Amino acid sequence: MNIHEYQAKELLAQCGVPIQLGIACQSLDEVRPAAEKIFASGASRVVVKSQIHAGGRGKGSFKSGFQGGVKLAATCEDALAFAGQMLGQVLVTKQTGSEGRKVGTLLLTAGAHIKKEFYLAVLLDRANSRPLIMASTEGGMDIEEVAEKTPEKIFKEWIDPAVGIMPYQARKISAALGLRGDLIALGAKLISGVYKTWWENDATMVEINPLCVIEAADGKEALLALDGKISLDDNALYRHKNIQAMRDLNEEAPLEIEASKFNLNYIKLDGSIACLVNGAGLAMATMDIIQHFGGNPANFLDVGGGASKEQVTAAFKIILMDPHVKGILVNIFGGIMDCNVIATGIVAAVKETGLTLPLVVRLEGNNVVAGQKTLAESGLTLITGTSMADAAQKVVKAVAA
Ligand code: ADP
Ligand code: MG
């Protein structure tokens, strides 16, 4: 699960990471009092930031033509005008794809006097089975580009998960960022806090871009996490009630929300061949083989090892809600799964939805004879696949026709 910047900053603050307290606004009515409050606290500028689950907002543009999802306002009127251009509008950034994301929330914060921008992230390095801290002096910009063109500018430090981040490691990263004097210790403290945020919330990624050296109100240099992005491990969400409450359904694909109600693992894709499969590995292999024979999968869908008739029916309905779907491939290998349950589910779903699209079914394994009998006696027009390759070729051909 992903959360918004303003929510990420709450979690970071709880772990001692210096952030600017801001005010999240869901409607224009809330914007003026929020901006007034921030100006009254001594800020010379107010930053209006679109909250969407994607980065690159600063350089993004709205479908309305308005440029920039992050704007600096010098007056309350400006802040209100920017907010009016952002709220309810669709923001397109490098990370959103061309469809963009509708902005439902704005974060208003004080404008900081930025002297330097760095990059800092903690993520899970699966290859090394360890948390990895990445830091770079090239902050504020596209880190993928830095990684590609000047990989030597990204400093990496692996953390032993049983020990946690050692003070010397935090200082080493601080020094690698070129921090000097008092800022080294401040940096080490901030880096430890970011690691703590990652660890305690079961995050898969915490990214601060930019992490800034700023000129504070007293004229001294200080550090500030100006942006924050956190992705969380869904499998650990059950133990974080506070984070569950941060879920923003507006940011999730409607079909995926529907699927999660039935405990179905569904991810929408761009192709035209829907697939209904049991087991994640088989589902991936099915997508591969569709592609191999020249088709394009419309989704990933794993109905699980022990799906019920109701789940199969729900899965069919969800698949059919995608207007791009031109054909369906059911690929079931019954290990735990009873093929006849799937067959009964298919028959019920086809009758209930009045399916007219080509449907290719490949059943194999546990109770397959009864399953095939159910399908044969149903009177439905469906195409039987004798193997995975056969089924994939048949569905690709049917959709092309
Ligand atoms: P994104 O990464 O989605 O573009 P950021 O929060 O990183 O969004 O903002 C983009 C840029 O806007 C930052 O790199 C920074 O230069 C500027 N910015 C963001 N917040 C502030 C702030 N509070 N004060 C001054 N500048 C800011
Ligand atoms: Mg950023």
Side-chain angles (χ1 to χ4, degrees), residues 106-138:
L106 299 174
L107 173 65
L108 269 67
T109 58
H113 293 281
I114 303 174
K115 300 186 82 172
K116 254 184 211 150
E117 298 195 336
F118 301 121
Y119 177 91
L120 177 71
V122 184
L123 32 106
L124 183 62
D125 180 355
R126 291 174 197 272
N128 286 296
S129 312
R130 282 182 176 218
L132 164 64
I133 301 185
M134 297 210 298
S136 177
T137 50
E138 310 305 299

Side-chain angles (χ1 to χ4, degrees), residues 322-370:
D322 175 357
H324 298 118
V325 168
K326 300 281 176 277
I328 302 174
L329 172 57
V330 176
N331 187 14
I332 299 293
F333 183 83
I336 306 166
M337 176 72 89
D338 180 334
C339 286
N340 200 28
V341 169
I342 282 284
T344 318
I346 293 171
V347 174
V350 171
K351 288 191 173 153
E352 217 175 295
T353 55
L355 179 78
T356 51
L357 299 172
L359 171 64
V360 179
V361 181
R362 179 249 178 171
L363 288 180
E364 206 60 75
N366 183 14
N367 212 12
V368 67
V369 177

Side-chain angles (χ1 to χ4, degrees), residues 57 209-210 227:
R57 296 163 300 165
N209 188 24
D227 187 10

Side-chain angles (χ1 to χ4, degrees), residues 49 55-58 140-141 207-210 226-229:
K49 308 183 81 173
R57 296 163 300 165
M141 39 197 264
E207 185 186 64
I208 314 292
N209 188 24
L226 224 68
D227 187 10
K229 200 172 168 191

Side-chain angles (χ1 to χ4, degrees), residues 173-300:
I173 301 164
S174 218
L177 286 175
L179 296 175
R180 295 286 172 264
D182 294 346
L183 289 184
I184 296 185
L186 285 178
K189 190 163 166 268
L190 184 149
I191 291 159
S192 300
V194 172
Y195 179 79
K196 190 168 178 236
T197 309
W198 185 87
W199 180 261
E200 292 197 345
N201 294 293
D202 292 308
T204 50
M205 185 192 71
V206 176
E207 185 186 64
I208 314 292
N209 188 24
L211 158 65
C212 294
V213 176
I214 56 148
E215 192 182 307
D218 58 9
K220 282 196 194 146
E221 286 189 335
L223 294 176
L224 199 56
L226 224 68
D227 187 10
K229 200 172 168 191
I230 299 185
S231 301
L232 301 135
D233 183 346
D234 290 349
N235 295 314
L237 268 182
Y238 72 93
R239 56 185 184 190
H240 301 286
K241 290 274 178 304
N242 62 325
I243 301 174
Q244 286 169 28
M246 293 179 176
R247 188 167 174 195
D248 183 353
L249 291 179
N250 293 324
E251 288 286 337
E252 296 176 27
L255 294 184
E256 287 170 25
I257 298 170
E258 188 62 22
S260 71
K261 286 187 202 156
F262 294 93
N263 269 325
L264 297 166
N265 231 326
Y266 171 92
I267 296 173
K268 193 181 144 13
L269 301 167
D270 304 328
S272 59
I273 299 175
C275 25
L276 189 155
V277 189
N278 68 322
L282 188 60
M284 289 199 278
T286 306
M287 297 186 335
D288 281 349
I289 203 160
I290 289 172
Q291 203 113 28
H292 178 74
F293 287 114
N296 271 310
N299 65 276
F300 168 92

